[in-house]
Amino acid sequence: MAITVVGSVAFDSIETPAGKKDRCLGGAATHFSLAASFFTDVRVIAVVGEDFGPEQEAVFKKRNIDIQGIERAPGKSFFWEGSYLDNLNEAKTHITDLNVFASFEPKIPEAYRDSEFLFLANIDPVLQRRVRNEMPDVKLVAGDTMNYWIKDHRPALLQMLKGLDILLINDTEARMLAGNNNLVQAARGVLNLGPHTLVVKHGEYGATAFFSRNSFAPKGEGLEPHPFRAPALPLEEVVDPTGAGDSFAGGFFGYLASQRELTPATFRRAMFYGSVMGSYAVERFGTERIQALTRKEIDDRFILFRELTHLD
Ligand code: AMP
């Protein structure tokens, strides 16, 4: 099954306690698609500028990611600069240059229209909603957002949320979106806004899924409404947290798309595969680690994750 993803493809300049890296390949759709490509076919919709060349293109091609939906426009690609000097779990944004994204009109290639899965990576909710509406036949829609849209673009975000099955955000965003500091109450609030499943990412502490009663699993065997938590792997060094959330989403959604049936068990495993991909993403700057990853390394770490919380 194929996933279509819409979101940013960018250049990132990043500073962390481990060092500094200028203009590495980044963007939410980039991190997502690289991670998901280990599990299923991935198709990207985005826009890039003249600075996106064969070197960047090769990163996607090497993972067999379909980039015919990445439009070229005159000008520069989206640029983001951020640091994590005080807190590795939260990026401090210094510069966001939308550049060619400022006038982006997503176009869905004909060849993408039979995708069963749609991921709306972090981008203007107006565009997320437009893509969602243009793909009415998809089986499952998941998406992400960030504090900027929650604070300053709330009406558009609320419209977008109505078209989502699964929302993946971090704890601060969940609390901000619901206007409630208690995570369980906040989750209930978010689940009333549209998505039937909410995956809250806790950075180095893992991720928790919350379900409303009509969650996605096949009728008659729906997931219990109680939450499910997947741990994160305690790591000796986090080099760069950028893209961890998107890599989690890529592993999570990619695994779901690779399964014939969506059951409570596949959902739980998907949470673990998300954690596996997030844990690898942070080991090097930008997309470096995921680019060099092998399927065997993913499977080995999955076993490690199981052992991390296994009781008997
Ligand atoms: P995360 O997985 O949350 O660490 O996402 C990091 C990626 O999000 C970086 O590669 C950035 O290029 C991208 N990004 C940062 N700000 C924005 C924004 N306002 N819109 C879209 N993408 C963004």
Side-chain angles (χ1 to χ4, degrees):
M1 302 237 199
I3 300 178
T4 286
V5 52
V6 59
S8 54
V9 171
F11 287 97
D12 292 345
S13 289
I14 304 158
E15 188 173 9
T16 79
K20 223 177 150 189
K21 193 103 193 203
D22 274 333
R23 290 188 64 79
C24 48
L25 177 64
T30 305
H31 291 290
F32 175 90
S33 56
L34 287 173
S37 71
F38 286 89
F39 302 91
T40 195
D41 292 339
V42 186
R43 303 152 168 182
V44 187
I45 299 173
V47 63
V48 292
E50 288 145 338
D51 46 4
F52 185 91
E55 196 189 323
Q56 288 74 35
E57 218 177 276
V59 174
F60 291 88
K61 293 215 166 126
K62 204 170 155 234
R63 295 285 331 135
N64 262 323
I65 297 165
D66 191 334
I67 55 167
Q68 60 174 295
I70 300 189
E71 186 191 329
R72 314 297 171 117
K76 283 186 174 173
S77 301
F78 183 101
F79 174 74
W80 179 78
E81 186 179 306
S83 65
Y84 302 83
L85 296 177
D86 302 327
N87 179 359
L88 275 170
N89 278 321
E90 210 167 304
K92 195 163 169 213
T93 294
H94 302 294
I95 302 173
T96 302
D97 282 339
L98 287 178
N99 297 325
V100 292
F101 254 95
S103 50
F104 180 41
E105 302 272 343
K107 290 171 206 73
I108 303 167
E110 234 6 80
Y112 286 17
R113 294 216 173 254
D114 62 353
S115 306
E116 293 93 344
F117 287 70
L118 175 63
F119 189 77
L120 308 171
N122 182 20
I123 194 185
D124 185 336
V126 171
L127 301 182
Q128 290 178 312
R129 183 157 169 256
R130 204 176 299 161
V131 173
R132 201 271 167 263
N133 288 345
E134 281 183 41
M135 296 189 70
D137 299 327
V138 287
K139 191 166 140 189
L140 201 65
V141 189
D144 187 6
T145 189
M146 70 185 290
N147 49 9
Y148 172 70
W149 308 114
I150 297 172
K151 259 199 292 178
D152 299 334
H153 295 255
R154 202 175 173 86
L157 182 66
L158 293 179
Q159 284 302 317
M160 186 281 282
L161 289 176
K162 288 186 187 151
L164 276 193
D165 295 310
I166 306 174
L167 175 67
L168 295 100
I169 46 180
N170 68 33
D171 344 39
T172 318
E173 292 159 352
R175 292 185 167 105
M176 196 192 276
L177 179 56
N180 192 319
N181 268 332
N182 176 285
L183 191 62
V184 178
Q185 291 176 24
R188 198 174 302 133
V190 173
L191 290 171
N192 281 329
L193 300 175
H196 55 59
T197 301
L198 170 70
V199 177
V200 181
K201 298 168 285 179
H202 313 295
E204 64 180 309
Y205 303 113
T208 311
F210 295 90
F211 311 99
S212 62
R213 273 171 210 286
N214 56 343
S215 68
F216 76 88
K219 294 197 177 32
E221 53 164 317
L223 284 151
E224 291 298 313
H226 63 71
F228 176 73
R229 176 165 289 177
L233 192 67
L235 293 167
E236 243 174 72
E237 192 188 21
V238 172
V239 171
D240 171 20
T242 312
D246 300 311
S247 302
F248 176 98
F252 166 81
F253 212 47
Y255 178 77
L256 280 185
S258 74
Q259 297 301 297
R260 239 181 320 130
E261 269 191 295
L262 300 179
T263 65
T266 52
F267 185 92
R268 292 192 175 118
R269 261 188 232 116
M271 292 277 291
F272 272 66
Y273 277 110
S275 298
V276 166
M277 299 311 283
S279 76
Y280 275 124
V282 304
E283 287 185 352
R284 285 196 223 154
F285 272 99
T287 56
E288 275 174 34
R289 185 65 183 98
I290 302 287
Q291 269 177 248
L293 199 62
T294 63
R295 182 64 214 223
K296 171 148 188 343
E297 288 176 311
I298 294 173
D299 295 336
D300 288 349
R301 193 161 281 186
F302 184 83
I303 294 169
L304 201 59
F305 264 89
R306 278 202 146 142
E307 284 169 8
L308 195 63
T309 48
H310 200 81
L311 267 185
D312 301 306

